[in-house]
């Protein structure tokens, strides 16, 4: 059951990334063709680009946390003992968790801010400018995905340590 939930959450993050990457590529392609071939600018494409970039960045960051391919400096790991490496990994885990919690609070504030702000680019087929919540929600949702994946990796970190203790 837990693996199924984890798999579903992973697929959601990956699907959002794929959809936003495709929409960004299409929006950029259409924008370039419209501007340089037809000498016509489509302002609504800017909204799609900003939306796609925001969601792509935060979902990509969540996937990077899941895959453990985010930035890590391990220059000292070659010179540390196994116990020191475990301590270093715990410290790094706690610092990253602390940073993600701060980002979650910022994401909540951004989400609330997006409720009150409106898009500056006029969209011809809408009677009023849309709320910016669709941009700022990417921040909050992405951070929640990052927190989830980070906590799952912590589970793996501590389970490995227990298995090593049992083997001894």
């Amino acid at each position: 059951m837990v693996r199924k939930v984890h798999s579903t959450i992973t697929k959601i993050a990956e699907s959002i990334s794929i959809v936003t990457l495709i929409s960004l590529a299409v929006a950029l392609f259409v924008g370039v063709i419209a501007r340089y071939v037809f000498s016509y600018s489509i302002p609504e494409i800017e909204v799609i680009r900003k939306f796609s970039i925001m969601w792509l960045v935060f979902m990509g960051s969540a996937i990077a946390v899941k895959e453990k391919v985010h930035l890590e400096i391990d220059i000292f790991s070659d010179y540390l003992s196994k116990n020191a490496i475990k301590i270093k990994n715990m410290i790094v885990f706690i610092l990253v968790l602390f940073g993600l919690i701060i980002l979650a609070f910022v994401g909540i504030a951004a989400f609330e801010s997006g409720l009150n702000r409106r898009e500056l680019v006029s969209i011809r087929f809408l009677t009023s400018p849309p709320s910016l919540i669709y941009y700022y929600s990417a921040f909050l949702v992405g951070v929640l995905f990052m927190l989830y994946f980070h906590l799952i990796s912590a589970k793996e970190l501590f389970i490995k340590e227990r298995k090593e203790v049992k083997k001894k």
Side-chain angles (χ1 to χ4, degrees), residues 14 58 71 87 89 109 124 130 144 146 148 150 155 167:
E14 291 171 348
F58 284 102
L71 180 64
I87 292 169
N89 289 341
R124 289 175 264 194
L144 292 176
M146 284 184 248
Y148 170 77
H150 188 63
K155 177 184 159 192
K167 285 180 184 178

Side-chain angles (χ1 to χ4, degrees), residues 117-134:
R117 297 183 65 201
R118 299 280 172 199
E119 177 64 58
L120 296 176
V121 176
S122 63
I123 300 175
R124 289 175 264 194
F125 55 85
L126 295 177
T127 56
S128 65
S131 168
L132 290 179
I133 193 69
Y134 60 94

Side-chain angles (χ1 to χ4, degrees), residues 160-168:
K160 284 180 185 177
E161 286 183 11
R162 286 185 191 153
K163 287 180 183 177
E164 288 175 8
V165 170
K166 287 180 182 178
K167 285 180 184 178
K168 291 180 182 179

Side-chain angles (χ1 to χ4, degrees), residues 19-57:
V19 168
T20 55
L21 181 62
I22 291 170
S23 66
L24 178 62
V26 169
L28 289 171
F29 179 76
V30 169
V32 167
I33 296 298
R35 177 166 291 177
Y36 294 107
V37 174
F38 299 110
S39 298
Y40 182 74
S41 180
I42 305 171
E44 289 84 1
I45 289 180
E46 182 63 27
V47 174
I48 295 169
R49 279 187 254 172
K50 287 192 291 186
F51 173 83
S52 297
I53 288 171
M54 284 289 290
W55 279 91
L56 186 59
V57 164

Side-chain angles (χ1 to χ4, degrees), residues 55 110-115 117 130-138:
W55 279 91
F111 185 83
E112 291 172 350
S113 169
L115 291 171
R117 297 183 65 201
S131 168
L132 290 179
I133 193 69
Y134 60 94
Y135 290 143
Y136 296 141
S137 61

Side-chain angles (χ1 to χ4, degrees), residues 60-140:
S61 297
I63 292 169
V65 169
K66 178 197 170 286
E67 299 292 331
K68 297 177 188 79
V69 294
H70 53 290
L71 180 64
E72 182 177 345
I73 300 171
D74 60 353
I75 192 168
F76 299 113
S77 296
D78 295 337
Y79 305 106
L80 297 175
S81 66
K82 287 185 179 185
N83 286 335
I85 290 173
K86 289 177 187 177
I87 292 169
K88 177 204 69 124
N89 289 341
M90 286 183 197
I91 292 170
V92 168
F93 171 79
I94 291 168
L95 290 173
V96 170
L97 182 63
F98 183 68
L100 288 174
I101 290 170
I102 290 171
L103 283 177
F105 283 111
V106 173
I108 291 168
F111 185 83
E112 291 172 350
S113 169
L115 291 171
N116 302 322
R117 297 183 65 201
R118 299 280 172 199
E119 177 64 58
L120 296 176
V121 176
S122 63
I123 300 175
R124 289 175 264 194
F125 55 85
L126 295 177
T127 56
S128 65
S131 168
L132 290 179
I133 193 69
Y134 60 94
Y135 290 143
Y136 296 141
S137 61
F139 195 108
L140 181 59

